[in-house]
Each structure stands twice: as C-alpha cells, then as structure tokens.
Amino acid sequence: MDEIVKRAMQKWPSVPNVFGWLRLDLRGNWLVKSRSTRDGQPLFERITNAAVIDFIGRNYQPDERGRWFFQNGPQRVFVTLDLTPLVFRLGASGGGFETHTGAMPRELRGAWLDDGGHLVIASDLGPGVVLDRDLPAIEARLVDATGAPLGEPALEALLAGHSDVTAAYLDLADARIAVAHIASAALPDRFGFDPAPRPAPGEPDC
C-alpha cells in the first residue's frame, strides 16, 4: 500500500465506504460508474489513465469478509467483480502468470474450468480468471495423467462437468496442477469472496 494512502488513513480514519462505483471486468479492466444510465441501469466507463490504473492496482486487496476494495486515500472503494477478484495473464516470456495488477504469484494451488469456458486459477494472491486471449496457448498445455495432450472429447467432458472425465492437468514450466470442473455460480463460495459488496444495514453508502 502506498505511504500516502497509509498517512491519509491515519489522518481520516472514519471516512464512509464506497459501493457500486468501481468494477473489474473479465479482461482486468477497471470500470467506473458514469453519470449516464441506460434503461434505468448505470453505465460504466473504462479507466484508461495509466497512473490511475497503477495506483488502484497497488492499493487493491480483500478485507476479512472477502470483499475486495481499492484503498483510495482514507476511503475504501469496494469493487464489483464480473467473475473473480484477479485476472491472470501470461507473462512476457509465456512461462508463468501475472495478475492484472502486475503482481507475480509465488504459488499456484489449482485450476478449474467453469461452465462458461473460463479457466480459473487459485494462487497465494487469490483466485483469478485467465485472460481470454491467452486461452489458446493455455489449452495447448492441458495434458492427461501421462503427460499427453488432452484430447477434444476429454476437454468437452471436463467443461460439461462429467464425473467420468479423464484426469486433466495444466502443464507449466515449473509446475503441473490439476484441473477440475466448477460452476461459475459456485466460485464465490469456493474461494471465499464477495462479487458484489453492498453496505450493511445502517452503514453510510457514498
């Protein structure tokens, strides 16, 4: 966390939290709520300023209830998640992953394919969906128990959640991690995060 943020938290410890204004999409983009609406629903605009994106990423973390937030000075801005709190992408070398904030996980703990075709990875930093543009490269690293490429029928069975599917693994440069099936709706409970934080009754909502 930035030092300027820590000092602001000490100086103003009781600033109300913000809900519903910041979103994280499936591609790791930060979206902020616009003043405009469509059919009565709020619209969101992508944040493109590099300095702002870096600032959010450096001060992004979960609380004890699994609600992910951006610490904006003394104020917590809770984030609505399109799927998971992190988005993983292949690093420049193509050998490992980094998050949408640029952090490098030290440990990958498992992988899951959901019913929407997303690949979700658990890590020491938290759970994250793999960026869609990296999926073709990742698919080539899916193997069976013998290390042979996972065939199309086995991959389709895994996506469908069939219990008799051949064991599948993600074969990386320094690790081989098991791949299982999971329903998208089960992700928050499985990994202990809140995809849409809301204020508690009586809590101020900025």
Side-chain angles (χ1 to χ4, degrees):
M1 188 180 295
D2 288 7
E3 284 299 322
I4 191 172
V5 171
K6 294 178 181 178
R7 291 196 297 270
M9 292 169 63
Q10 293 171 354
K11 188 173 182 180
W12 298 287
S14 301
V15 177
N17 298 323
V18 174
F19 297 87
W21 281 84
L22 190 63
R23 270 179 53 202
L24 179 69
D25 74 8
L26 286 166
R27 308 206 77 196
N29 297 312
W30 299 111
L31 308 173
V32 65
K33 186 164 70 172
S34 167
R35 295 183 181 275
S36 302
T37 61
R38 179 181 296 158
D39 297 328
Q41 298 299 314
L43 295 177
F44 285 80
E45 298 175 349
R46 180 181 171 186
I47 296 174
T48 58
N49 184 287
V52 173
I53 292 170
D54 289 344
F55 181 60
I56 294 174
R58 291 195 307 270
N59 297 283
Y60 177 58
Q61 59 191 289
D63 69 4
E64 67 284 351
R65 294 166 54 185
R67 303 179 302 176
W68 286 71
F69 65 92
F70 155 48
Q71 189 72 49
N72 183 28
Q75 189 170 56
R76 287 187 175 185
V77 180
F78 284 97
V79 179
T80 300
L81 309 171
D82 279 11
L83 191 65
T84 55
L86 300 173
V87 177
F88 286 111
R89 60 197 178 207
L90 286 175
S93 65
F97 290 101
E98 63 181 32
T99 72
H100 68 285
T101 67
M104 304 286 291
R106 295 187 300 273
E107 180 185 1
L108 301 181
R109 299 171 176 170
W112 291 260
L113 278 168
D114 76 2
D115 41 12
H118 307 110
L119 179 64
V120 176
I121 293 178
S123 77
D124 59 296
L125 298 176
V129 62
V130 174
L131 189 62
D132 55 359
R133 72 183 180 207
D134 288 334
L135 287 178
I138 294 298
E139 186 175 334
R141 302 181 190 187
L142 292 175
V143 299
D144 63 20
T146 69
L150 197 67
E152 194 68 28
L155 179 58
E156 290 179 357
L158 183 60
L159 284 167
H162 293 168
S163 58
D164 58 347
V165 67
T166 301
Y169 301 87
L170 180 57
D171 201 4
L172 302 170
D174 55 355
R176 178 178 288 184
I177 56 177
V179 182
H181 173 82
I182 193 169
S184 294
L187 289 170
D189 285 343
R190 174 64 179 80
F191 297 110
F193 66 87
D194 185 347
R198 293 293 181 265
E203 181 181 1
D205 177 16
C206 288

